[in-house]
Amino acid sequence: MKLGAFSVSLAVKDLKVSKGFYEDLGFTQFAGAMESKYLIMKNEHTVIGLFEGMFVGNILTFNPGWDQSAQPIEDFDDVRDIQRQVKSKGIKLEREADEDSSGPSSCVISDPDGNMIMFDQHV
């Protein structure tokens, strides 16, 4: 499976405080906006999302169709193909992509320890 660009989506209590903390570690804002309550931060090839009040817990995120700079790539597995492969291995989906759709979509699974993993396709 080609899962796409990887990032960690962090549920934060105070976006401004978290932004400052990660800037101190060398991250810079790559996308998002304070007024939208989320920022995407990058340090070289490492990407983290800071999300205030959007979800509980942290999420491992894969973006099929994107590279680490959120640029489209040609050769990738569509999120619906990933979903079918996950299902074929007996892994339960927490949220499914519409199999009859195309383009942007997402699905979510959880690992054996309850960590959420999202496949979030934007292309």
Side-chain angles (χ1 to χ4, degrees), residues 50-104:
L50 307 176
F51 296 86
E52 183 181 317
M54 292 190 179
F55 50 84
V56 177
N58 302 321
I59 303 172
L60 304 176
T61 304
F62 295 94
N63 299 110
W66 271 5
D67 67 15
Q68 285 301 108
S69 295
Q71 295 302 304
I73 58 174
E74 287 187 32
D75 186 28
F76 69 96
D77 289 352
D78 185 88
V79 70
R80 285 150 287 267
D81 293 330
I82 293 169
Q83 178 173 282
R84 282 189 283 278
Q85 291 179 60
V86 165
K87 281 181 172 181
S88 76
K89 297 184 183 300
I91 299 171
K92 178 183 176 262
L93 282 119
E94 303 291 330
R95 188 176 77 224
E96 294 190 35
D98 180 354
E99 292 280 347
D100 296 324
S101 67
S102 63

